[in-house]
Amino acid sequence: MSGAYGPLSRVRRLLASEMAAVRWWLLVVAAELALVTAYLAVTDVVITEPRYVVYPFAWINVGVWAMLRIRTPAVDRRQWSVAAALSAGYLFLLLVAGGTLQLGIGGPLAGGAVASVHWNIPGLGPILVYGTPRVRLSIIPFKVVGYVAMSYLVYARLLDATGAVLSGVLGLFSCVGCAFSLLLPLLGATTLFGSALTGLAWDLSTVVFLFTVALLYWADEVGVAARRWLPL
């Protein structure tokens, strides 16, 4: 095989075509690193688990990248309305499942009306909490960006009218810590086993989030591969 058409040549052409985007994201990552460094310099926070600093930015960067890169086709107003309504409902479910939106359906929420800002390391904070005894928003930057990103990708795939939108259901379990309270009894888990798994909630949440975004973003490629390996 000629070197001009080999795998390395294709990689070089891809990198050349994406160099502007690569440089832009390198600047973004450098700015995030500077922000975290500045925060640590002016506070007494000590990082014992570096991955918990990386995970929030993985959610933010991957989510924003996917939203900027995915293409949305031109559709009629009816299809747009259906896609917008369904993706808005999906976002609502994500916010509730992830604890970002709390509803006092069975009674007033503990703490009553609240409005506060909790400073934390960038990505995790600042955390904004605002609400009434019946409705409360707890805005954690990386979670909100991640949930909005998944919902926007679902919206884009609905416009495409592809079956791959069903992969977005996985995103409901990006709040692994919340989902464990329902899943562990089904697995017959003991309290000790449940505690051990819950300790991995951040890791599992991030894996599920990245997997869901990948499925939605590369839905066409996934569909082609599935049809090739799974004959109908």
Side-chain angles (χ1 to χ4, degrees):
M1 178 182 291
S2 171
Y5 298 98
L8 291 179
S9 179
R10 289 196 295 270
V11 170
R12 284 195 294 268
R13 288 197 297 271
L14 178 61
L15 289 177
S17 65
E18 297 291 342
M19 193 53 64
V22 169
R23 285 195 295 265
W24 192 87
W25 282 108
L26 286 176
L27 289 175
V28 170
V29 172
E32 291 167 346
L33 181 60
L35 193 60
V36 171
T37 301
Y39 179 86
L40 295 176
V42 299
T43 64
D44 57 356
V45 174
V46 177
I47 298 177
T48 58
E49 295 287 351
R51 70 184 191 277
Y52 295 154
V53 179
V54 175
Y55 287 167
F57 288 115
W59 282 58
I60 293 170
N61 293 348
V62 171
V64 172
W65 177 85
M67 286 190 290
L68 291 175
R69 296 295 298 261
I70 197 166
R71 296 178 180 178
T72 55
V75 297
D76 59 42
R77 186 173 182 82
R78 179 179 177 277
Q79 190 173 354
W80 175 86
S81 300
V82 171
L86 290 175
S87 56
Y90 181 74
L91 176 59
F92 175 80
L93 290 177
L94 289 176
L95 294 175
V96 173
T100 299
L101 176 63
Q102 295 176 283
L103 304 174
I105 297 176
L109 297 170
V114 61
S116 61
V117 178
H118 305 275
W119 296 101
N120 207 330
I121 197 163
L124 285 173
I127 301 172
L128 309 178
V129 182
Y130 180 81
T132 68
R134 292 292 180 178
V135 180
R136 182 174 302 158
L137 276 172
S138 301
I139 300 176
I140 302 175
F142 83 94
K143 290 178 69 173
V144 172
V145 172
Y147 294 159
V148 169
M150 283 192 288
S151 301
Y152 185 77
L153 294 177
V154 167
Y155 164 76
R157 290 310 173 191
L158 282 170
L159 292 182
D160 274 341
T162 65
V165 71
L166 294 177
S167 63
V169 174
L170 290 173
L172 290 174
F173 294 95
S174 59
C175 176
V176 177
C178 307
F180 273 164
S181 62
L182 299 175
L183 295 179
L184 288 181
L186 299 177
L187 297 173
T190 64
T191 302
L192 178 61
F193 180 59
S195 299
L197 284 180
T198 304
L200 298 175
W202 280 55
D203 308 82
L204 296 175
S205 294
T206 301
V207 169
V208 171
F209 170 75
L210 296 176
F211 184 60
T212 303
V213 169
L215 282 178
L216 288 168
Y217 183 81
W218 284 293
D220 294 335
E221 291 81 355
V222 171
V224 170
R227 287 191 294 271
R228 182 179 304 164
W229 290 100
L230 299 174
L232 299 177

